[in-house]
Amino acid sequence: MFTGIVEELGSIAAIEEQADAIRLTVRGPLVVSDAAHGDSIAVNGCCLTVTDHDAETFTVDVMKESLDKTSLGALAVGDPVNLERAMRADGRFGGHIVQGHVDGTGVVRSRTPSDHWEVVEVAFPADLGRYLVPKGSITVDGTSLTVVDVGPDSFTVSLIPTTLDATTLGTKQPGAPVNLEVDVLAKYVEKMMQR
């Protein structure tokens, strides 16, 4: 489990194409500082398993299912990525419950800067709209954010300077794909209400 509080802005060091998967090597000295084989690290909000590491990088395998459901397949060597280690049981819970199980990809539609923050509009797949509410939680590329407003096919978030500086969301331009994970509690409530 994760919290959506990005620990480090890493970068893609290498990509190895495989028949129906890719192997990513990610530069992230902070998140790899205590990594062990089998640990979970969220890369742009996608929970991945460490298969190898050194003092600066870690390697993960990304299967076809993850490539189909996330924007990880669009990454190139040198691209920045948001990184977060799995939450420790004795750690602070700074964001919201994030599983690292991406529900779909959205697209940055627009950016509206102001003096102290920036409003970013993100288009979402139609099947995710029912889980989005103003002041609710959403994970965008692994970053826990509060929804400002929800339209028929997009939502907005306001990004403070820290988020703009410390995550990929500071540089994502209109047209860029982003991984979305809706609040898992909303999905459980929906399931219970169907019974």
Side-chain angles (χ1 to χ4, degrees), residues 27-46:
R27 185 167 314 286
L30 173 65
V31 299
V32 83
S33 64
D34 62 352
H37 180 83
D39 282 354
S40 295
I41 296 178
V43 178
N44 278 357
C46 185

Side-chain angles (χ1 to χ4, degrees), residues 69 101-105 125 127-128 179-184 187:
K69 299 282 200 259
H101 303 161
V102 174
D103 293 304
T105 55
D127 61 330
L128 297 186
N179 292 323
L180 302 175
E181 181 183 332
V182 298
D183 190 341
V184 68
K187 292 192 285 187

Side-chain angles (χ1 to χ4, degrees), residues 2-78:
F2 304 91
T3 68
I5 302 300
V6 173
E7 294 183 272
E8 180 174 22
L9 193 56
S11 63
I12 300 299
I15 300 173
E16 179 186 334
E17 299 285 340
Q18 299 176 328
D20 61 350
I22 60 173
R23 179 165 287 156
L24 291 177
T25 300
V26 182
R27 185 167 314 286
L30 173 65
V31 299
V32 83
S33 64
D34 62 352
H37 180 83
D39 282 354
S40 295
I41 296 178
V43 178
N44 278 357
C46 185
C47 178
L48 299 172
T49 302
V50 174
T51 59
D52 197 12
H53 68 90
D54 60 28
E56 293 283 320
T57 65
F58 64 96
T59 301
V60 294
D61 291 318
V62 184
M63 63 183 164
K64 184 178 185 323
E65 171 75 7
S66 297
L67 293 172
D68 290 345
K69 299 282 200 259
T70 73
S71 64
L72 294 179
L75 291 171
V77 172

